[in-house]
Each structure stands twice: as structure tokens, then as C-alpha cells.
Amino acid sequence: MPQPAMPQPAASPAPPVTLRNGFAYGLSTLPHLIHRLLGAANALQNKPYLLGGGHRRLDDVGYDCSSATSYVLIKAGLLQTVLNSSQLAGYGEPGPGRFITLWVKSGHHVFLTICGLRLDTSGGRVSEGPRWRTAERNLAGFMPRHPPGL
């Protein structure tokens, strides 16, 4: 008498965004706007941290936390001008977004996550600049915000 087949665990779905060689790639099923956000963030991957960088001119040699976040939003058409972290605390809508979340500690730091992958100027070497980060981060004191609809 044949044995009944053992049920196989369901395969976990592929993450919507993957990191390869320091660059983020999204599944083709993601909205086009998310691919624009990823492309803008990928453009910052070799830039150094520069306090005040990216505030006077969008395409700069280096970026700080708020200008890197603003750069990504501007290049995707979701923001008109570079904002500092205090100004970004009022951007969009409160709470985490479906695809993108800005994590703001007003007057101190801001970073964003796109489909769970974090773009941050901290968490690596000093002066490393905005990079995709995979390590967990303490969110104590950070307020989540998101662009409307995202």
C-alpha cells in the first residue's frame, strides 16, 4: 500500500526587491514608480557622506541623510525640493507605506525603506554615504511617513 505523500511546506514568495552587488532590483510586477525610486537610490550608492551635500544642488558629489532621501523622492517625481529632516517629518502621510516608508527623527536623522530594503547614511563606515543596508536598525524615536498611495 503506497504511503500518502507528505505535504510540502509552501515556498516563501520571492522578496519584491533584491540586492545584488550593492544595487537594488525590483520584480517586474512592482509599480513603475517603485522602479524609479530604486533607480534613484541606486544612483547614490558610490557617493560619500557630505554634511550639507545635495542641499544647494540636487546632483552633488556627496549627500547627507536628508538630501539623499530628498534626492530619491525628487527623482521619482514625489517631491519638488530638498528638505531637511525636520521638514521631512511633515512630508506625506503618517505611518508606514505599502512600498516606501520614510523613517524620521526630526532634526536628527532620516532614512527610507523601499519594499523593506533600507537606504541609510548610517550603519556602515564613517563617511560612507547613502547605501543599501540589510542589517536591522533600532527604530526607537523614528516616526514613519509615506508618500500618499504608496
Side-chain angles (χ1 to χ4, degrees):
M1 179 175 259
Q3 295 289 327
M6 293 293 291
Q8 297 295 317
S12 46
V17 174
T18 57
L19 193 59
R20 288 192 309 268
N21 299 320
F23 295 93
Y25 300 91
L27 293 177
S28 61
T29 54
L30 288 171
H32 178 70
L33 181 57
I34 304 306
H35 289 279
R36 288 188 5 216
L37 288 161
L38 293 170
N42 281 340
L44 299 176
Q45 294 307 298
N46 293 314
K47 300 288 185 175
Y49 179 86
L50 180 61
L51 183 61
H55 285 270
R56 289 190 135 161
R57 58 178 198 223
L58 185 60
D59 293 303
D60 209 342
V61 296
Y63 295 84
D64 62 20
C65 64
S66 57
S67 64
T69 299
S70 294
Y71 177 94
V72 172
L73 295 170
I74 290 168
K75 291 294 185 173
L78 297 171
L79 186 66
Q80 299 300 313
T81 188
V82 176
L83 303 177
N84 62 37
S85 65
S86 296
Q87 294 166 321
L88 286 166
Y91 172 79
E93 297 177 351
R98 180 173 172 211
F99 297 103
I100 178 174
T101 302
L102 282 68
W103 297 93
V104 186
K105 191 179 283 189
S106 184
H108 296 281
H109 190 59
V110 60
F111 63 93
L112 56 84
T113 55
I114 302 174
C115 296
L117 189 59
R118 178 169 54 102
L119 179 74
D120 201 341
T121 57
S122 64
R125 295 185 307 260
V126 173
S127 300
E128 188 175 47
R131 299 290 186 273
W132 291 114
R133 312 282 182 194
T134 56
E136 296 277 329
R137 181 183 176 109
N138 183 342
L139 298 176
F142 284 91
M143 297 181 319
R145 308 282 306 176
H146 66 278
L150 295 176

